Amino acid sequence: MLARHLLRTAAVSLALASTLLTAGGAGAAEASGWEISLSGSSPAESLLSVSSVDDDLAWAVGSKSGQGVIMRWDGVEWGENTAPGLPQVWQWSAVSAVAADDVWAYGTVGRDQVLVHYDGTRWNTVTAAGAADQAWPEVPIDAVPGRLFKGGDALYTYSDGVWNTFALPALVDIRDIDALSADDAYATGMKYPVNGGHPVTYHWDGTTWTLMEAPPVRPGTDTAKIAVASTDSVYVAGWATDPEITEPVPGVAHWNGSTWEDITGALSALYVHAIAPDGHGGLWVTGNDQAEPADASPVFWHYDGTTWTEEPGATAPDGDTRWPSYTFYDLAPAGDSGGFWAVGHYSTPMNSQGDQTVNGLVERSAATAPSAG
């Protein structure tokens, strides 16, 4: 969901496989810089959000068979979190971890919203401001020391037990939030409907939210993702549809502190569901690949500040060999090692009755230490 705050405290490096497919080049990559961390039958059917505290502690949330699931990484493996106090929901859609004893999760049950906080021992339900967003129930949250941010059909901040609400114009919905600190955060979304509407991006200065200049993306682009590397490096992303083009048309814009620039470039045929700064002036992007010819591999794209490069993710042993069977919904740095987590789901091949199984998926990038100089 969100670019996590580890990027602001440690330099992050990710070694690309030597056989990457560079945009515009020929041939397919045979090696992946990503490895499977969770696949097959597990407590999760789909995972929508991931957040790390350090190399040995991360959280991922989603659902299985209509029941919300919270998963925890203990440095060795992923397992379902069973700490007391966790209410039953249909789906957990967002998680944000500040520390081992400061973790937030947001979910829905019926037409109601549920917000919980983990104090290191148990989960406690916190009354959330505003009504549940009926248009986009997957409301974003992002936590930093001293403050929680929440989106939806308004912008909310929570600190010292008190909620503050910033009303939004009609038909505006905030789809993603990313904060640098309690007094510096960014949010993006849309004034709907997509066709005829327009993207919106807001900045929080510790007191109020201010509407920023609109990013220069293709008309009809649903800007659902935001990632902040610094006050002078903010990315927003989404995709558009075109009746004359069967594939989605992704769009990515970069704010340099004073102006926006369209950096979409060679990025193509991707439903953009997740973005994260790489810690070196670049960006990771993933989602659901729709490129022809059909390719069953999950796909990641990396932007180094100039060029987009495509890299395959790791394929699950029981994954469908037909396209497209992999979708990632969130990216987050995995800790000081320089790796990243990616979470989502994939499908298995159809059985003789034409049925498929959908399994939760977690991949981790194979990282190396930053190079000298």
Side-chain angles (χ1 to χ4, degrees), residues 28-45:
E30 296 178 355
S32 172
W34 299 79
E35 59 188 15
I36 297 290
S37 184
L38 175 73
S39 66
S41 179
S42 77
E45 188 174 62

Side-chain angles (χ1 to χ4, degrees), residues 155 180 183-187 201-206 208-212 231 234:
L155 278 160
L180 289 169
D183 298 329
D184 192 5
Y186 295 80
T201 304
Y202 286 86
H203 175 243
W204 166 261
D205 63 5
T208 190
W209 293 92
T210 302
L211 182 65
M212 298 172 62
T231 55
V234 180

